[in-house]
Amino acid sequence: MSNWTIDELMVAALARELPDDTVCFNGAVSFIPVTAFLLARATHAPGLIWVASSIAVDPRPDRIGESTLSDALWDGAAMLQSSAADFWSYAQSGRLNTFCFRGAQMDAYGNVNNTVIGSFDAPKIRLPGGGGMADLGCQVPRILLWSTTHDPRTFVDKLDFRSGLGWGDGGDHRARLGLPGGPRACVTNLAMMDFHPESKRMRLRSVHPGVTVDQVVAATGFELVIEGDVPETEPPTDEQVRVIREVDPTDARKREFG
Amino acid sequence: MSNWTIDELMVAALARELPDDTVCFNGAVSFIPVTAFLLARATHAPGLIWVASSIAVDPRPDRIGESTLSDALWDGAAMLQSSAADFWSYAQSGRLNTFCFRGAQMDAYGNVNNTVIGSFDAPKIRLPGGGGMADLGCQVPRILLWSTTHDPRTFVDKLDFRSGLGWGDGGDHRARLGLPGGPRACVTNLAMMDFHPESKRMRLRSVHPGVTVDQVVAATGFELVIEGDVPETEPPTDEQVRVIREVDPTDARKREFG
Amino acid sequence: MAERAKIVSLSDAAELVPDGALLAVGGLSLNCTPMSFCRELVRARRRELELVAVVSGMSTDWLVAAGCVRKLIMGLTSFEGFGLAPNFRRAAQAGGIDVEEYSEHTLICALQAATAGVPFMPTRAGLGTDMPALHPDRTWEMVDERSGQRFLACAALQPDIAVIHVHEADADGNARMNPKLVWFDTELVKAAKRVIVTAERIIDNAEFRAAPERTSIPGYAVDHVIEAPRGAWPTACWPEYPYDGQFYLDYQRAARDPEAFAAFFSEHVAPLPDPAAR
Amino acid sequence: MAERAKIVSLSDAAELVPDGALLAVGGLSLNCTPMSFCRELVRARRRELELVAVVSGMSTDWLVAAGCVRKLIMGLTSFEGFGLAPNFRRAAQAGGIDVEEYSEHTLICALQAATAGVPFMPTRAGLGTDMPALHPDRTWEMVDERSGQRFLACAALQPDIAVIHVHEADADGNARMNPKLVWFDTELVKAAKRVIVTAERIIDNAEFRAAPERTSIPGYAVDHVIEAPRGAWPTACWPEYPYDGQFYLDYQRAARDPEAFAAFFSEHVAPLPDPAAR
């Protein structure tokens, strides 16, 4: 039997998408990405630079804690980036090249909604708001998506509101807007997706151990691109599991579940 | 006989233009204004805030030294404004409300040239360049001009190049450009000028002791507005002279002469 | 330097903010928010405020709960891991407040345009999203004729008043954060017509002069200084004290029931006006 | 962290700058300019450089004297109280270099537009002056249709390379100024495609981690680090050493006569190429 849990599989899968030249940062409630950054840095990507809370450059925290915007993550930082204006400059110039998104809703092109469920003026549920999504989705070249709730309520055919830009309307929409890069992958509790090179629609890359393609299709509110046989997601190695539990000894990553 | 010198008269005359709510700063080779700031602060305008070299907020130097951009002026500052971006923000917002200009050429509307004598592409004399003149002339509400060389080469009918904006083409030109304030006065080695409220042309307000109106007219390359009898410039008081020599014990202010 | 004395007592703070003011409140999410000042606004029954809060939570929820807010101009409003801001959520869903949603950076651009005295600030942020269409008079897409490049224009937004919380300030208005973590706060300070700083401690001007490179905000940019020990509570004032997680939990629990919430709010913040008065 | 090692020797510095590069040089007038780096460019006989220098003096004069510069994009060039920059002045008067004059702030706006990835940055600076007409393709007046407000648009200017001088840096590229006086330097760093930092001292990364609030520039924004003790001489590296006033005086005296200047320059900076080669 496997000695890993689903949060650990998601962290490992996300970490594999982070090359050595990654300069990443995180916002609120981003336990899975933060753990993935720490895993990647400790294993295959020692050159990775993580700016904790978009403030603390390359810190060395001994745990993750209860807020991914809190100073608990800042121990041992090489710099405390004191002003938002400085941060935004580096985010716009592409020096900060990687960000991870999640949204209450995501569509086939990796656009996200964190603003409202229902109409904006009379919402069924008023969500926190787009925050930096509209800014970073447009300007950060490498976007990674994640969700711990892969279901038809989250993965919808049409967003109630587009708070953050993924591939927009698909195809060359981002390029026409003059925007760099775009979403590269999406890791969920069921599967690993990427995006079709032309249509930019979400494509099923692998299903997690014990999950069937039919289950993923049923859990997705839009039509996934499926090409040929879909392999199984590579589970985390024993070494990856060991490191994950070392960098996140208090299981903060599990806060995103249930 | 008077116990003051022309530099001291100019400093005192400039200081009188500085009310208690002045927030001023200085650029390079600005010995007369810096001395005037220190005089005003030590006498009638204790609330005056001076940002030395546009960097050191409200310093308490014991001398002025050989460069008005050097750290010699920064002793006792309450803040070292570390970035030019921050400085420009406060200069644009009007929090920094007073700046003093001099130019190799000045015209009847208080516009200044510090770029070239002759044509821009084949100058007779290539001057340092406008620097911040074009920025501050447009955006700082209270502008004061000074010159230690009141002659037809400096006070010209037409600038070879308009590096810094005073009242522009005169009248409501600044207002039409949507710009705040404008030049208030001009202190030279011969006289004190202000600007006609409608035409915004330079107007002779007073001539310094021992100088005649005809001398000033002859030394000015454009037609000065002269209304009625022109009084004599009030000389510095003994107290002002004492304070001037106290804040500038090394006579740095005299560096602008000859 | 009596001429420069800018100190106001916390009890007089609310008098600095008229009803209907366009008020920008500093801080970032669970961090360094001028909460004591917000409490005074609740006590004083301020009304019709247009609140600018880039990334906030408890401060906005207090002011909305007490009916002080007509319009909220925001980037994000939540309690992070402690859930959605309950009164903000209820009011927004019931149409009790007008929500003008920007993104973080486009809102900063609007503030920077005011600082620079230009009609708008251009950015690539927000292109292709539904946000600009929420306020086409404030944010609109443009194309540069020369390069053909698209951008979003963010119209200048100048707050009447900005209030931020810092560690230390003096009578001249000089303000210091230990260390100098200014978040969005300096953008608010630069853009606003008037600036209020609440500080954990009022210190002597000489302390600023002893370490001028540590000063965060120059005195000439500050109009009023208010001493407010633990003035950021229940948000954090790093590194001096953390946010009060238990308060967030208790607040959320109380917010499930109107009566329980009224009692809780009255005990920990200030009495709520009766619903009729709102 | 060998993966991150960014240290280059001063003797290899010039190889980082190809002929014809759009090179932004940091510092402010008599202060904190990467002079040792400029000397290496002179030694390496760099040619056709397009130099961006917001407010400079000796650095520009050296590079112009040695014939390294095709175009100078500047706000102000002088030796302040020590007079006009003699070689800059001569070259400009003789048409030996192309001078693209901005004002300080409009040049910063052009750099900020590059940083933000927008076609231009708007400002009120420069309105009504003769400066915009010098380069109508780079700076032009616009009117906002909605407000009727005029502004100057400053087209994005992205340097290929920016080089600045700091007190301390490490192998990761983290850089610190003591105290943190960054002048225009951060604007150059943010805008440029590649960034080179020369430092009085290379220090251990642990020293940055011990005082992270004092770090001026994050390592991820720096591509190369060069150790250059007294690397700002003859400009100042406050508070560590003042500018060398005597050098400025001697330089000006020598500049009155071509032969005397060649000898002086060769002794204190580097041999000048013979005029034919320029």
Side-chain angles (χ1 to χ4, degrees):
Chain A
M1 236 344 264
S2 67
N3 68 335
W4 49 263
T5 54
I6 182 61
D7 51 290
E8 289 160 344
L9 177 136
M10 286 182 67
V11 166
L14 195 56
R16 278 188 217 100
E17 303 299 313
L18 302 167
D20 195 56
D21 67 347
T22 299
V23 183
C24 53
F25 54 101
N26 70 275
V29 199
S30 303
F31 300 97
I32 297 285
V34 164
T35 313
F37 298 154
L38 290 167
L39 171 62
R41 189 176 69 182
T43 55
H44 68 276
L48 176 148
I49 302 282
W50 163 51
V51 183
S53 323
S54 309
I55 288 168
V57 179
D58 198 34
R60 297 285 187 259
D62 62 5
R63 72 179 60 78
I64 292 175
E66 66 185 8
S67 163
T68 55
L69 286 187
S70 95
D71 52 272
L73 290 175
W74 305 351
D75 292 350
M79 176 178 187
L80 293 174
Q81 242 172 231
S82 61
S83 104
D86 285 351
F87 165 76
W88 284 113
S89 293
Y90 294 120
Q92 291 173 306
S93 71
R95 285 279 185 181
L96 295 166
N97 61 25
T98 304
F99 189 66
C100 299
F101 273 147
R102 71 180 298 173
Q105 293 180 327
M106 309 198 207
D107 71 14
Y109 299 107
N111 303 299
V112 297
N113 170 24
N114 214 36
T115 297
V116 288
I117 300 300
S119 75
F120 184 87
D121 292 326
K124 266 204 254 18
I125 304 174
R126 172 66 229 197
L127 298 165
M133 284 180 172
D135 311 315
L136 301 168
C138 290
Q139 304 190 95
V140 175
R142 303 177 193 172
I143 297 167
L144 298 167
L145 304 167
W146 90 99
S147 172
T148 55
T149 58
H150 193 145
D151 58 44
R153 280 180 39 254
T154 305
F155 288 80
V156 299
D157 191 51
K158 175 135 189 31
L159 300 176
D160 290 354
F161 190 91
R162 188 187 287 175
S163 312
L165 188 71
W167 290 109
D169 304 336
D172 64 352
H173 190 200
R174 273 186 82 95
R176 279 186 282 111
L177 293 173
L179 302 176
R184 299 185 157 200
C186 178
V187 185
T188 75
N189 53 316
L190 297 183
M192 185 80 194
M193 274 84 67
D194 60 12
F195 294 85
H196 184 280
E198 276 73 45
S199 72
K200 298 296 195 293
R201 280 186 69 91
M202 220 179 267
R203 176 172 68 180
L204 187 58
R205 198 165 83 187
S206 68
V207 291
H208 300 340
V211 179
T212 68
V213 170
D214 291 348
Q215 282 175 299
V216 176
V217 167
T220 308
F222 53 82
E223 195 180 326
L224 281 165
V225 176
I226 300 179
E227 299 173 329
D229 293 347
V230 178
E232 188 175 82
T233 307
E234 188 184 328
T237 65
D238 293 352
E239 172 63 2
Q240 286 176 313
V241 172
R242 186 187 65 71
V243 173
I244 289 169
R245 295 172 186 180
E246 186 177 288
V247 298
D248 179 26
T250 63
D251 294 351
R253 66 194 178 279
K254 296 187 192 293
R255 288 171 168 269
E256 292 193 37
F257 291 85
Chain B
M1 237 338 266
S2 69
N3 68 335
W4 49 263
T5 53
I6 183 61
D7 51 289
E8 290 161 345
L9 177 136
M10 286 182 66
V11 166
L14 196 56
R16 279 189 216 99
E17 303 300 311
L18 302 167
D20 195 57
D21 68 347
T22 299
V23 182
C24 53
F25 53 102
N26 70 277
V29 199
S30 303
F31 299 97
I32 298 283
V34 164
T35 313
F37 298 155
L38 290 167
L39 171 62
R41 188 175 71 181
T43 55
H44 66 276
L48 175 147
I49 302 284
W50 163 52
V51 183
S53 323
S54 308
I55 287 168
V57 179
D58 198 33
R60 298 285 188 258
D62 61 5
R63 71 179 62 77
I64 292 176
E66 67 186 7
S67 163
T68 55
L69 285 188
S70 95
D71 52 272
L73 290 176
W74 305 352
D75 292 352
M79 177 177 186
L80 293 175
Q81 244 173 229
S82 61
S83 103
D86 284 351
F87 164 76
W88 284 113
S89 294
Y90 293 121
Q92 292 173 304
S93 72
R95 286 280 185 180
L96 296 166
N97 60 26
T98 305
F99 189 64
C100 299
F101 273 146
R102 72 181 299 175
Q105 294 180 328
M106 309 196 207
D107 71 13
Y109 299 106
N111 304 299
V112 296
N113 170 24
N114 214 36
T115 297
V116 289
I117 301 300
S119 74
F120 184 87
D121 292 326
K124 269 206 255 10
I125 304 174
R126 172 65 229 198
L127 297 164
M133 284 181 173
D135 311 315
L136 300 168
C138 290
Q139 304 190 94
V140 175
R142 304 177 193 172
I143 297 167
L144 298 167
L145 304 167
W146 90 99
S147 172
T148 55
T149 58
H150 194 146
D151 58 44
R153 279 177 43 253
T154 305
F155 288 79
V156 298
D157 190 51
K158 178 144 187 25
L159 300 176
D160 290 354
F161 189 91
R162 188 188 287 175
S163 311
L165 188 71
W167 289 109
D169 304 336
D172 65 351
H173 190 200
R174 273 185 81 94
R176 280 187 280 112
L177 292 173
L179 302 176
R184 299 186 156 200
C186 177
V187 185
T188 75
N189 54 313
L190 297 183
M192 184 81 194
M193 275 84 67
D194 61 10
F195 295 85
H196 184 280
E198 276 74 44
S199 71
K200 298 295 193 292
R201 281 185 68 91
M202 218 179 269
R203 175 171 68 181
L204 187 58
R205 199 165 82 187
S206 68
V207 291
H208 299 340
V211 178
T212 69
V213 170
D214 290 350
Q215 283 174 299
V216 176
V217 168
T220 308
F222 54 81
E223 195 181 324
L224 280 165
V225 176
I226 300 179
E227 299 173 328
D229 293 346
V230 178
E232 188 174 79
T233 307
E234 187 184 330
T237 64
D238 292 351
E239 172 63 3
Q240 286 175 314
V241 172
R242 186 188 65 71
V243 172
I244 289 168
R245 296 172 186 179
E246 186 177 287
V247 298
D248 179 26
T250 62
D251 293 351
R253 65 194 179 278
K254 296 185 191 295
R255 289 172 169 268
E256 292 193 38
F257 292 83
Chain C
M1 307 189 192
E3 296 78 4
R4 303 192 197 161
K6 295 175 176 176
I7 296 176
V8 174
S9 75
L10 185 57
S11 56
D12 297 336
E15 294 172 17
L16 301 173
V17 181
D19 287 348
L22 180 58
L23 173 69
V25 176
L28 175 71
S29 190
L30 305 177
N31 304 281
C32 211
T33 308
M35 299 304 295
S36 292
F37 189 91
C38 291
R39 178 192 284 103
E40 293 306 313
L41 296 178
V42 169
R43 284 216 180 101
R45 301 266 195 266
R46 281 287 160 272
R47 288 290 178 274
E48 299 292 313
L49 296 178
E50 298 193 352
L51 190 63
V52 177
V54 182
V55 175
S56 75
M58 193 59 78
S59 51
T60 297
D61 210 68
W62 282 8
L63 293 169
V64 168
C68 306
V69 180
R70 183 182 77 71
K71 179 197 270 190
L72 172 63
I73 302 170
M74 59 163 255
L76 185 141
T77 306
S78 90
F79 290 177
E80 275 189 57
F82 300 108
L84 298 168
N87 292 287
F88 156 69
R89 179 182 172 176
R90 252 193 303 268
Q93 291 173 188
I97 57 169
D98 177 0
V99 177
E100 187 167 302
E101 180 168 338
Y102 284 71
S103 61
E104 284 180 32
H105 189 62
T106 53
L107 185 43
I108 289 174
C109 285
L111 294 164
Q112 290 176 333
T115 300
V118 294
F120 63 80
M121 201 54 77
T123 178
R124 289 180 304 177
L127 288 175
T129 71
D130 291 339
M131 178 273 291
L134 291 176
H135 30 65
D137 55 323
R138 312 287 310 151
T139 53
W140 61 93
E141 197 175 308
M142 290 179 73
V143 177
D144 174 48
E145 292 167 3
R146 296 159 186 247
S147 61
Q149 202 182 329
R150 275 179 157 55
F151 63 89
L152 191 72
C154 304
L157 176 70
Q158 179 168 43
D160 297 319
I161 304 162
V163 55
I164 66 166
H165 187 67
V166 303
H167 296 89
E168 294 162 339
D170 70 12
D172 287 2
N174 296 300
R176 184 197 281 169
M177 307 199 191
N178 300 328
K180 188 173 176 174
L181 286 175
V182 293
W183 316 113
F184 308 114
D185 289 1
T186 42
E187 303 306 320
L188 306 182
V189 166
K190 290 171 177 178
K193 291 175 197 157
R194 291 196 301 122
V195 171
I196 302 168
V197 165
T198 68
E200 289 290 315
R201 295 172 293 285
I202 303 291
I203 62 175
D204 192 274
N205 175 260
E207 295 194 43
F208 281 93
R209 298 184 187 278
E213 70 281 0
R214 289 181 48 214
T215 305
S216 309
I217 296 166
Y220 65 74
V222 174
D223 300 289
H224 307 288
V225 174
I226 295 171
E227 188 162 41
R230 290 190 64 79
W233 177 88
T235 69
C237 189
W238 185 79
E240 299 191 7
Y241 51 86
Y243 57 80
D244 183 347
Q246 190 57 52
F247 181 89
Y248 279 83
L249 296 170
D250 296 344
Y251 187 97
Q252 286 285 33
R253 191 174 307 103
R256 295 193 200 118
D257 169 65
E259 272 183 36
F261 183 75
F264 179 90
F265 200 79
S266 166
E267 180 187 350
H268 295 285
V269 184
L272 283 174
D274 62 74
R278 290 193 232 174
Chain D
M1 311 190 188
E3 297 79 3
R4 303 192 198 159
K6 295 175 176 176
I7 297 177
V8 175
S9 74
L10 185 57
S11 56
D12 298 336
E15 294 172 18
L16 302 173
V17 181
D19 288 348
L22 180 58
L23 173 69
V25 176
L28 175 72
S29 190
L30 305 178
N31 304 281
C32 211
T33 308
M35 299 304 295
S36 292
F37 188 90
C38 292
R39 178 191 284 102
E40 293 306 314
L41 296 178
V42 169
R43 283 216 181 101
R45 301 264 194 268
R46 282 287 161 271
R47 287 291 176 275
E48 299 293 314
L49 295 177
E50 297 193 354
L51 191 61
V52 177
V54 182
V55 175
S56 75
M58 194 58 78
S59 51
T60 297
D61 209 68
W62 282 8
L63 293 169
V64 168
C68 305
V69 180
R70 183 182 77 70
K71 179 197 271 189
L72 173 62
I73 301 170
M74 59 163 256
L76 185 141
T77 307
S78 89
F79 290 177
E80 277 187 55
F82 300 108
L84 297 168
N87 293 286
F88 156 68
R89 177 181 174 178
R90 253 193 303 269
Q93 291 173 192
I97 57 169
D98 176 0
V99 177
E100 187 168 302
E101 180 168 336
Y102 284 72
S103 61
E104 284 179 32
H105 189 61
T106 52
L107 185 44
I108 290 174
C109 285
L111 294 165
Q112 291 176 332
T115 301
V118 293
F120 63 80
M121 201 55 78
T123 179
R124 290 180 303 178
L127 288 175
T129 71
D130 292 337
M131 179 272 293
L134 292 176
H135 30 66
D137 56 323
R138 311 288 311 153
T139 54
W140 61 93
E141 196 174 308
M142 290 179 73
V143 177
D144 174 49
E145 292 167 3
R146 297 161 185 244
S147 61
Q149 202 182 329
R150 274 175 162 45
F151 62 90
L152 191 72
C154 304
L157 177 69
Q158 180 168 43
D160 296 319
I161 303 163
V163 55
I164 67 165
H165 187 68
V166 303
H167 295 90
E168 295 161 338
D170 70 11
D172 288 3
N174 297 299
R176 183 197 280 169
M177 306 196 191
N178 300 328
K180 187 172 174 174
L181 287 176
V182 293
W183 314 115
F184 308 114
D185 289 1
T186 43
E187 303 306 319
L188 306 181
V189 166
K190 290 171 176 178
K193 291 175 196 157
R194 292 195 303 123
V195 172
I196 301 168
V197 164
T198 68
E200 289 291 314
R201 294 172 294 285
I202 302 293
I203 62 175
D204 191 274
N205 175 259
E207 294 193 44
F208 282 93
R209 297 184 187 278
E213 70 282 0
R214 288 181 49 216
T215 305
S216 308
I217 296 166
Y220 65 74
V222 174
D223 300 290
H224 307 286
V225 174
I226 295 170
E227 188 161 41
R230 290 190 65 78
W233 177 88
T235 70
C237 188
W238 186 79
E240 299 192 7
Y241 51 87
Y243 58 80
D244 182 346
Q246 190 56 53
F247 182 88
Y248 280 83
L249 295 170
D250 296 344
Y251 187 96
Q252 285 286 32
R253 192 174 305 102
R256 296 192 197 118
D257 167 65
E259 272 183 34
F261 183 76
F264 178 91
F265 200 79
S266 164
E267 180 188 351
H268 295 285
V269 184
L272 284 174
D274 60 75
R278 287 193 231 170

PDB file of all heavy atoms in Angstrom, chain C residues 24-37:
ATOM      1  N   ALA C  24      -9.392  56.086   2.746  1.00  0.00           N
ATOM      2  CA  ALA C  24      -8.540  54.932   2.454  1.00  0.00           C
ATOM      3  C   ALA C  24      -7.957  54.413   3.759  1.00  0.00           C
ATOM      4  O   ALA C  24      -7.360  55.180   4.520  1.00  0.00           O
ATOM      5  CB  ALA C  24      -7.424  55.330   1.493  1.00  0.00           C
ATOM      6  N   VAL C  25      -8.143  53.119   4.028  1.00  0.00           N
ATOM      7  CA  VAL C  25      -7.648  52.509   5.256  1.00  0.00           C
ATOM      8  C   VAL C  25      -6.512  51.547   4.921  1.00  0.00           C
ATOM      9  O   VAL C  25      -6.640  50.689   4.050  1.00  0.00           O
ATOM     10  CB  VAL C  25      -8.782  51.763   5.988  1.00  0.00           C
ATOM     11  CG1 VAL C  25      -8.246  51.033   7.217  1.00  0.00           C
ATOM     12  CG2 VAL C  25      -9.882  52.740   6.392  1.00  0.00           C
ATOM     13  N   GLY C  26      -5.375  51.725   5.588  1.00  0.00           N
ATOM     14  CA  GLY C  26      -4.173  50.946   5.298  1.00  0.00           C
ATOM     15  C   GLY C  26      -4.170  49.570   5.914  1.00  0.00           C
ATOM     16  O   GLY C  26      -5.166  49.117   6.481  1.00  0.00           O
ATOM     17  N   GLY C  27      -3.023  48.910   5.806  1.00  0.00           N
ATOM     18  CA  GLY C  27      -2.868  47.554   6.307  1.00  0.00           C
ATOM     19  C   GLY C  27      -2.958  46.544   5.177  1.00  0.00           C
ATOM     20  O   GLY C  27      -3.196  46.911   4.016  1.00  0.00           O
ATOM     21  N   LEU C  28      -2.741  45.294   5.510  1.00  0.00           N
ATOM     22  CA  LEU C  28      -2.815  44.225   4.516  1.00  0.00           C
ATOM     23  C   LEU C  28      -3.419  42.994   5.172  1.00  0.00           C
ATOM     24  O   LEU C  28      -2.782  42.375   6.032  1.00  0.00           O
ATOM     25  CB  LEU C  28      -1.428  43.894   3.976  1.00  0.00           C
ATOM     26  CG  LEU C  28      -1.349  42.703   3.015  1.00  0.00           C
ATOM     27  CD1 LEU C  28      -1.972  43.041   1.675  1.00  0.00           C
ATOM     28  CD2 LEU C  28       0.097  42.268   2.821  1.00  0.00           C
ATOM     29  N   SER C  29      -4.681  42.702   4.828  1.00  0.00           N
ATOM     30  CA  SER C  29      -5.323  41.482   5.296  1.00  0.00           C
ATOM     31  C   SER C  29      -5.281  41.378   6.830  1.00  0.00           C
ATOM     32  O   SER C  29      -5.872  42.217   7.501  1.00  0.00           O
ATOM     33  CB  SER C  29      -4.638  40.285   4.639  1.00  0.00           C
ATOM     34  OG  SER C  29      -5.352  39.104   4.878  1.00  0.00           O
ATOM     35  N   LEU C  30      -4.532  40.448   7.373  1.00  0.00           N
ATOM     36  CA  LEU C  30      -4.495  40.254   8.827  1.00  0.00           C
ATOM     37  C   LEU C  30      -3.443  41.136   9.490  1.00  0.00           C
ATOM     38  O   LEU C  30      -3.155  40.971  10.678  1.00  0.00           O
ATOM     39  CB  LEU C  30      -4.190  38.782   9.152  1.00  0.00           C
ATOM     40  CG  LEU C  30      -5.092  37.701   8.556  1.00  0.00           C
ATOM     41  CD1 LEU C  30      -4.572  36.317   8.951  1.00  0.00           C
ATOM     42  CD2 LEU C  30      -6.532  37.877   8.994  1.00  0.00           C
ATOM     43  N   ASN C  31      -2.847  42.051   8.713  1.00  0.00           N
ATOM     44  CA  ASN C  31      -1.666  42.763   9.211  1.00  0.00           C
ATOM     45  C   ASN C  31      -1.791  44.279   9.278  1.00  0.00           C
ATOM     46  O   ASN C  31      -2.307  44.911   8.357  1.00  0.00           O
ATOM     47  CB  ASN C  31      -0.464  42.426   8.323  1.00  0.00           C
ATOM     48  CG  ASN C  31      -0.226  40.944   8.234  1.00  0.00           C
ATOM     49  OD1 ASN C  31       0.334  40.338   9.148  1.00  0.00           O
ATOM     50  ND2 ASN C  31      -0.698  40.333   7.156  1.00  0.00           N
ATOM     51  N   CYS C  32      -1.312  44.836  10.387  1.00  0.00           N
ATOM     52  CA  CYS C  32      -1.023  46.263  10.558  1.00  0.00           C
ATOM     53  C   CYS C  32      -2.116  47.210  10.038  1.00  0.00           C
ATOM     54  O   CYS C  32      -1.832  48.156   9.306  1.00  0.00           O
ATOM     55  CB  CYS C  32       0.300  46.585   9.884  1.00  0.00           C
ATOM     56  SG  CYS C  32       1.159  47.928  10.714  1.00  0.00           S
ATOM     57  N   THR C  33      -3.342  46.964  10.436  1.00  0.00           N
ATOM     58  CA  THR C  33      -4.491  47.784  10.038  1.00  0.00           C
ATOM     59  C   THR C  33      -4.843  48.731  11.190  1.00  0.00           C
ATOM     60  O   THR C  33      -4.762  48.327  12.348  1.00  0.00           O
ATOM     61  CB  THR C  33      -5.681  46.847   9.720  1.00  0.00           C
ATOM     62  OG1 THR C  33      -5.242  45.846   8.795  1.00  0.00           O
ATOM     63  CG2 THR C  33      -6.848  47.610   9.135  1.00  0.00           C
ATOM     64  N   PRO C  34      -5.223  49.986  10.907  1.00  0.00           N
ATOM     65  CA  PRO C  34      -5.541  50.940  11.982  1.00  0.00           C
ATOM     66  C   PRO C  34      -6.898  50.635  12.610  1.00  0.00           C
ATOM     67  O   PRO C  34      -7.869  51.365  12.416  1.00  0.00           O
ATOM     68  CB  PRO C  34      -5.520  52.295  11.272  1.00  0.00           C
ATOM     69  CG  PRO C  34      -5.834  51.988   9.850  1.00  0.00           C
ATOM     70  CD  PRO C  34      -5.248  50.634   9.578  1.00  0.00           C
ATOM     71  N   MET C  35      -6.975  49.553  13.388  1.00  0.00           N
ATOM     72  CA  MET C  35      -8.247  49.061  13.931  1.00  0.00           C
ATOM     73  C   MET C  35      -8.812  49.968  15.017  1.00  0.00           C
ATOM     74  O   MET C  35     -10.023  50.194  15.075  1.00  0.00           O
ATOM     75  CB  MET C  35      -8.073  47.637  14.468  1.00  0.00           C
ATOM     76  CG  MET C  35      -7.647  46.602  13.431  1.00  0.00           C
ATOM     77  SD  MET C  35      -8.757  46.511  12.001  1.00  0.00           S
ATOM     78  CE  MET C  35     -10.251  45.916  12.807  1.00  0.00           C
ATOM     79  N   SER C  36      -7.945  50.506  15.889  1.00  0.00           N
ATOM     80  CA  SER C  36      -8.453  51.407  16.938  1.00  0.00           C
ATOM     81  C   SER C  36      -9.144  52.605  16.307  1.00  0.00           C
ATOM     82  O   SER C  36     -10.175  53.072  16.788  1.00  0.00           O
ATOM     83  CB  SER C  36      -7.301  51.888  17.833  1.00  0.00           C
ATOM     84  OG  SER C  36      -6.793  50.822  18.591  1.00  0.00           O
ATOM     85  N   PHE C  37      -8.582  53.076  15.211  1.00  0.00           N
ATOM     86  CA  PHE C  37      -9.180  54.212  14.508  1.00  0.00           C
ATOM     87  C   PHE C  37     -10.544  53.817  13.941  1.00  0.00           C
ATOM     88  O   PHE C  37     -11.520  54.550  14.074  1.00  0.00           O
ATOM     89  CB  PHE C  37      -8.251  54.672  13.387  1.00  0.00           C
ATOM     90  CG  PHE C  37      -8.674  55.961  12.735  1.00  0.00           C
ATOM     91  CD1 PHE C  37      -8.209  57.169  13.206  1.00  0.00           C
ATOM     92  CD2 PHE C  37      -9.546  55.956  11.655  1.00  0.00           C
ATOM     93  CE1 PHE C  37      -8.603  58.362  12.619  1.00  0.00           C
ATOM     94  CE2 PHE C  37      -9.950  57.133  11.047  1.00  0.00           C
ATOM     95  CZ  PHE C  37      -9.481  58.351  11.532  1.00  0.00           C
TER      96      PHE C  37
END
